């Protein structure tokens, strides 16, 4: 089992920045990639960003150019730097990890490819 611990959420004004962190613990040796999904009230959980431990990263079109994802392999931690935040970014952000490397470059957006999920951290962007 892998445990994912998220931090960094909060309330920020539009145009501001936040940095989310997710640290993995437990049986982490088989993790291939970790990423972020988000869910606003009434919406489905949607892909935001992911990065493999080899450094291959993908971002959703809605955040590309504003968010960056990075990782610290020694700390088994990923980060989501969120700049130019907009009210539509308001959501609960969930950290997720996957062990499967197969077809990573094609199915990284699919929730069912991820094996473990964090509890989520609230991000609220005010106008």
């Amino acid at each position: 089992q892998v445990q994912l611990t998220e931090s960094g959420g909060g309330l920020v004004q539009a145009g501001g920045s936040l940095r989310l962190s997710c640290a993995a613990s437990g049986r982490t040796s088989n993790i291939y990639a970790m990423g972020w999904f988000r869910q606003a009230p009434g919406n489905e959980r949607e892909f935001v960003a992911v990065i493999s431990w080899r450094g291959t990263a993908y971002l959703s079109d809605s955040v590309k150019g504003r968010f960056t994802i990075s990782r610290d392999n020694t700390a088994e931690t990923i980060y989501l730097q969120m700049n130019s935040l907009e009210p539509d970014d308001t959501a609960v952000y969930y950290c997720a990890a996957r062990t499967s490397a197969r077809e990573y470059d094609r199915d990284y957006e699919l929730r069912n490819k991820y094996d473990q999920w964090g509890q989520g951290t609230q991000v609220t962007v005010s106008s």
Side-chain angles (χ1 to χ4, degrees):
Q1 292 289 328
V2 172
Q3 294 79 49
L4 303 176
T5 303
E6 301 135 319
S7 63
L11 175 64
V12 66
Q13 296 181 19
S17 298
L18 286 172
R19 192 189 194 201
L20 306 183
S21 300
C22 176
S25 60
R27 295 182 177 268
T28 63
S29 60
N30 291 329
I31 294 176
Y32 183 74
M34 294 173 61
W36 297 93
F37 291 72
R38 67 186 182 185
Q39 187 169 20
N43 293 343
E44 295 293 318
R45 193 170 299 186
E46 66 177 4
F47 169 78
V48 177
V50 67
I51 188 167
S52 76
W53 296 111
R54 294 186 174 185
T56 303
Y58 298 95
L59 298 169
S60 70
D61 290 342
S62 62
V63 305
K64 191 173 184 179
R66 300 186 296 120
F67 294 6
T68 57
I69 188 168
S70 60
R71 88 289 191 197
D72 182 345
N73 286 356
T74 60
E76 297 182 314
T77 300
I78 62 166
Y79 306 93
L80 185 68
Q81 179 66 48
M82 304 185 293
N83 298 326
S84 302
L85 282 162
E86 304 168 352
D88 285 347
D89 295 317
T90 296
V92 177
Y93 284 69
Y94 296 91
C95 182
R98 64 184 282 168
T99 58
S100 176
R102 181 174 173 80
E103 303 293 341
Y104 167 70
D105 60 343
R106 297 179 182 270
D107 64 16
Y108 56 85
E109 294 180 311
L110 302 182
R111 290 173 292 179
N112 63 6
K113 297 299 294 186
Y114 293 80
D115 306 292
Q116 299 292 332
W117 295 84
Q119 293 295 311
T121 184
Q122 177 71 47
V123 172
T124 302
V125 184
S126 63
S127 300

